[in-house]
Amino acid sequence: MSTTDTANKATASEKSAEKTSARTQAEPVLQVERRDFVDLVPENRARVQPMRGFDPCYTDIVDYIVRCTHKIWDERDVGLIYSHYTHNCVLYNALGTIYTREQVVLDTLQRLVAFPERRGMATQVIWNGNDVDGFYTSHLVTGSGRHTQSSQYGKPTNRTFTTRTVADCMILENKIYREWVVSDNMSLMRQLGLDTDQIAYNMAKEQFDKGFRLTEIGENRRLLGQYPPESDPDYTLAHTDTEAQVLGWLHEIYNKRMLGKVKEVYASNVQWHGPLMKELYGQASVIHQTLALIGMIPDGAWMPQHICSNPCEEGGTKVAVRWVMEGHHLGYGELGKPTGQRLLVMGMSHYHVVNGKIVDEWVVYDHLAMLAQIKLGQLAETEA
């Protein structure tokens, strides 16, 4: 290629970038709220966001995560995983880690076998980042379907179900290289009428037979040196004032156990969408459900791992927080009689903040994975 051709090509590229930048100002990145699916995966829409290295069909990062998820899970184009995940991607879930793309393919196929009628509906996508440093997306999906095939869950029950899942992804140039997935599997198993105690045992036994054990490693973070909870959360995770504010609220509620804070920061008519597909209303419901989790793990330390946010077309800001809570099963609750076993809860929370108040909360964590951890600990004790 001649010097003139190279210069012309560079100039054309710059003009294209300028047009994309100008269009980005005119038309914002898609939001899931208020939009039908066909509007989230539009045809013949020009790019409104720089997407270096992404397939031409993707016009912005929300389009990318909604469209490729739909293709893989609903249209069953599982092979797209090879072009949308790196070969060495790492996928974290509530009871284990997948370390290769091929394992992601195998796990996807197994899940699709059990529920061939399942369809996932994009409920929310909260994101940050860019095409140079990489994007981070937090994708809330509401799945529904029917249990019609034999699988690891046994014979089909033909029962219908509705569950929630949140998948957080780190993406660069069309490929996911890190993913965290939390699903409300306890709710799913209960809706199917299955024996959750036996399923949790089977999950634990599979891990046990592979050589995994739950072991105590040092002191509980919350009780280090018998100091009180840390006075402040890790504000370095926050990118905006609203994100810092939310981190402060959650730290005071979960770590300082100041549950009266709920009445200060949640709207009186807050909607709470939680595990076991609970749909509740009002501040008292939030307090009770928060107590239910803390009460099961009363020595638990709550730790945020990532936070991002977007202005919302409905007004206010949508905030996504990925977090873990680690401690011991020392209290009564959904998991039954306290066992003293070590527990690590992986959770995802989405908040809608309007005028300094949380008006909606969606939170997903899996009681079934927690029960399986208890079973695994008990198997290890029996072995010892």
Side-chain angles (χ1 to χ4, degrees), residues 224-271:
L224 286 176
Q226 302 303 308
Y227 282 97
E230 296 171 350
S231 58
D232 293 308
D234 182 4
Y235 284 118
T236 62
L237 294 174
H239 310 88
T240 68
D241 290 343
T242 298
E243 291 176 14
Q245 188 177 43
V246 169
L247 287 177
W249 293 343
L250 298 177
H251 180 75
E252 188 154 344
I253 291 168
Y254 282 94
N255 286 329
K256 292 188 175 181
R257 312 303 202 226
M258 300 294 286
L259 281 93
K261 188 74 174 178
V262 168
K263 292 184 178 180
E264 294 181 30
V265 303
Y266 284 78
S268 59
N269 61 344
V270 61
Q271 303 275 345

Side-chain angles (χ1 to χ4, degrees), residues 12-29 46-52 58-60 131:
S13 177
E14 290 170 0
K15 288 181 178 178
S16 176
E18 289 173 1
K19 288 181 180 178
T20 300
S21 177
R23 185 169 178 83
T24 302
Q25 299 300 315
E27 185 175 340
V29 173
R47 280 198 168 163
V48 301
Q49 182 180 37
M51 298 286 285
R52 184 190 67 176
Y58 302 123
T59 62
D60 62 38
D131 65 337

